């Protein structure tokens, strides 16, 4: 529970995800508010059936309590900055220090996870996994090589996405999903072509994507962001709608703290699994779309693992509170691929352990500022 001042009095506001009203809100606010919305909290209210005043109150309380990790307008960063999933081979003695550096010191590394396998399998020596985005004009490879030297990694493997088939969260909504439950249609294919923006679009994009503080969870939330961008509200909204039409805006989302327990000990999920499949060349799109249609999958993509990972080419992420349940979902997907006529010659599961998540910075100006702090000539980091 959380205490807040409401109309001059102290009221107790439930903050656990198990509270029925919070669950009703979160089932929408995690990943159902797609694209740019001029009034995002009103849209959450409309879709959830919860009055907007209650939506604002509950999201503020959950954010203040740390149950919600962040509230922000997401961008489709794969269309705004070159990126990749990166597997790092780091000695056990340096693993924790490398993890901490990636999370705390590199603004371009997003998800930072220490993973393990259930046995000695291809790629199991690659324990540290991160997502990496480098702003337009700069080199992903050069940045990764800088990080390798900085943390003392033995090697790294860049795994850029050739295509995405599902990308979302919705942990509350997925909690009751049965193994094998899937949509009637295969997953949609999302491309990863980088879009060039105008100066005005970059000017608006920075404030648009910045996460919200508790006191910014209000009706008409973009008024302050327009002032931050130095433009009128009308120009801000029009530019944001233009970015949405250009396909670079993701969803307005409340991101749950889904790894660490709440103050009451509640966990949203416990097991984070990165699934690997190897399918025949030419079957990647078909396989990815079949994997992506399963409701349990939060991510599914075509990434080439290469010889380090036994040639896997389809990867995806699923979460659950019980390991056996996650494996049951995997078994159902394996069976579905077989029934769809897509042979799988190799498969593996990388389990998530220690984990931290933050948005990867994608502004070119932020990269130049980082280079200045690190004492690097930004021109040497160009693509």
């Amino acid at each position: 529970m959380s205490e807040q001042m409401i109309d001059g009095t102290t009221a107790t506001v439930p903050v656990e995800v198990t509270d029925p009203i919070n669950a009703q809100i979160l089932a929408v606010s995690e990943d159902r508010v797609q694209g740019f919305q001029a009034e995002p909290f009103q849209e959450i209210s409309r879709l959830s059936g919860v009055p907007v005043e209650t939506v604002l109150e509950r999201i503020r309380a959950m954010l203040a309590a740390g149950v919600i990790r962040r509230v922000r307008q997401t961008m489709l960063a794969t269309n705004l900055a070159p990126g990749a999933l990166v597997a790092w081979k780091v000695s056990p003695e340096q693993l924790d220090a490398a993890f901490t550096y990636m999370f705390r010191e590199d603004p371009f590394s997003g998800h930072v996870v220490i993973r393990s396998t259930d046995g000695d399998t291809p790629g199991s020596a690659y324990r540290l996994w991160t997502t990496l985005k480098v702003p337009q004009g700069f080199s992903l490879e050069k940045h990764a090589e800088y990080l390798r030297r900085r943390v003392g990694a033995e090697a790294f493997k860049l795994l850029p996405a050739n295509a995405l088939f599902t990308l979302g969260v919705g942990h509350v909504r997925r909690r009751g999903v049965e193994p094998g439950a899937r949509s009637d249609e295969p997953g949609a294919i999302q491309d990863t072509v980088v879009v060039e923006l105008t100066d005005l679009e970059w000017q608006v994009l920075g404030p648009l994507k910045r996460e919200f503080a508790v006191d910014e969870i209000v009706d008409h939330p973009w008024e302050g962001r327009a002032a931050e961008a130095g433009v009128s509200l009308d120009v801000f909204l029009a530019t944001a709608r233009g970015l949405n039409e250009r396909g670079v805006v993701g969803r307005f989302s409340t991101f749950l703290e889904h790894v660490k327990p709440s103050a009451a000990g509640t966990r949203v999920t416990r097991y984070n699994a990165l699934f690997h499949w190897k399918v025949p060349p030419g079957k990647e799109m078909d396989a990815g779309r079949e994997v992506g249609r399963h409701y349990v999958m939060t991510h599914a993509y075509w990434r080439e693992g290469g010889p380090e990972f036994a040639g896997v080419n389809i990867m995806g992420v699923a979460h659950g509170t019980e390991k056996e349940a996650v494996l049951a979902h995997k078994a159902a997907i394996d069976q579905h691929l077989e029934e769809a006529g897509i042979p799988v010659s190799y498969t593996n599961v990388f389990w998530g352990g220690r984990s931290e998540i933050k948005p990867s910075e994608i502004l070119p100006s932020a990269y130049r500022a980082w280079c200045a702090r690190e004492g690097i000539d930004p021109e040497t980091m160009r693509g």
Side-chain angles (χ1 to χ4, degrees):
M1 307 290 275
S2 171
E3 290 189 347
Q4 285 191 324
M5 292 298 293
I6 302 174
D7 296 330
T9 62
T10 301
T12 304
V13 181
V15 298
E16 293 296 326
V17 298
T18 51
D19 175 83
I21 293 176
N22 289 346
Q24 193 173 342
I25 292 168
L26 292 167
V28 168
S29 66
E30 280 196 272
D31 67 347
R32 287 292 180 88
V33 183
Q34 296 296 323
F36 174 74
Q37 302 287 335
E39 299 292 350
F41 298 110
Q42 291 183 21
E43 181 68 2
I44 293 170
S45 171
R46 184 184 73 81
L47 293 173
S48 67
V50 177
V52 68
E53 295 81 8
T54 304
V55 167
L56 292 168
E57 173 192 80
R58 295 301 182 95
I59 291 178
R60 281 191 209 107
M62 286 188 281
L63 182 60
V67 173
I68 289 176
R69 188 173 66 248
R70 60 177 57 88
V71 179
R72 64 185 290 261
Q73 176 68 61
T74 70
M75 312 303 293
L76 294 179
T78 51
N79 299 116
L80 288 169
L85 182 65
V86 190
W88 303 88
K89 189 176 183 181
V90 184
S91 69
E93 297 77 18
Q94 293 176 292
L95 187 58
D96 283 337
F99 178 101
T100 300
Y101 181 86
M102 298 289 194
F103 172 60
R104 297 193 180 281
E105 304 299 333
D106 184 45
F108 311 102
S109 294
H111 290 57
V112 184
V113 186
I114 293 178
R115 295 192 178 276
S116 60
T117 56
D118 287 331
D120 186 9
T121 61
S124 59
Y126 288 78
R127 296 287 315 282
L128 182 62
W129 292 71
T130 67
T131 55
L132 180 63
K133 298 283 190 305
V134 174
Q136 292 183 25
F138 297 98
S139 168
L140 193 67
E141 292 79 3
K142 289 179 180 179
H143 191 86
E145 176 58 28
Y146 176 84
L147 293 179
R148 187 197 65 77
R149 295 194 304 269
R150 187 66 177 77
V151 304
E154 298 173 31
F156 64 87
K157 176 72 174 181
L158 292 177
L159 301 161
N162 294 325
L164 287 79
F165 308 103
T166 189
L167 184 62
V169 279
H171 296 298
V172 169
R173 178 167 54 80
R174 286 179 166 89
R175 292 182 84 172
V177 170
E178 293 294 325
R182 55 187 183 267
S183 65
D184 293 335
E185 298 296 326
I189 299 171
Q190 304 173 43
D191 66 47
T192 57
V193 176
V194 175
V195 176
E196 293 187 8
L197 303 186
T198 67
D199 289 344
L200 175 61
E201 287 171 328
W202 282 117
Q203 185 177 340
V204 166
L205 187 142
L208 177 66
K209 72 180 183 66
R210 183 173 62 78
E211 63 189 72
F212 284 79
V214 172
D215 60 4
E216 293 180 303
I217 309 298
V218 296
D219 242 349
H220 320 303
W222 301 121
E223 291 178 355
R225 299 302 173 91
E228 183 181 330
V231 299
S232 69
L233 179 60
D234 286 345
V235 169
F236 185 93
L237 295 177
T239 305
R241 290 187 181 107
L243 288 168
N244 190 56
E245 290 169 2
R246 298 187 69 188
V248 299
V249 175
R251 62 189 182 275
F252 188 88
S253 182
T254 59
F255 290 84
L256 286 175
E257 176 51 74
H258 63 275
V259 177
K260 301 169 187 170
S262 69
T266 303
R267 287 181 182 270
V268 177
T269 65
R270 185 181 295 271
Y271 291 93
N272 163 349
L274 173 65
F275 299 151
H276 283 189
W277 293 276
K278 180 181 179 181
V279 303
K283 288 288 188 179
E284 297 93 348
M285 286 293 193
D286 292 338
R289 296 186 75 193
E290 294 303 329
V291 170
R293 73 196 293 176
H294 285 256
Y295 296 134
V296 73
M297 302 302 296
T298 59
H299 302 72
Y301 21 55
W302 170 9
R303 300 182 189 273
E304 293 289 344
E308 296 90 342
F309 296 96
V312 300
N313 43 20
I314 301 298
M315 301 184 185
V317 177
H319 300 260
T321 54
E322 302 295 335
K323 185 175 182 178
E324 293 75 12
V326 175
L327 289 173
H329 281 289
K330 169 96 172 26
I333 296 171
D334 292 347
Q335 181 179 346
H336 175 65
L337 289 171
E338 181 180 350
E339 292 169 352
I342 301 171
V344 175
S345 58
Y346 174 80
T347 185
N348 202 356
V349 181
F350 281 75
W351 298 100
R354 184 183 177 192
S355 173
E356 294 286 358
I357 301 172
K358 66 184 188 297
S360 296
E361 183 55 79
I362 56 174
L363 297 178
S365 58
Y367 198 82
R368 290 189 290 270
W370 173 82
C371 285
R373 289 196 302 273
E374 296 291 314
I376 300 170
D377 178 356
E379 294 307 309
T380 66
M381 303 297 282
R382 292 284 180 186

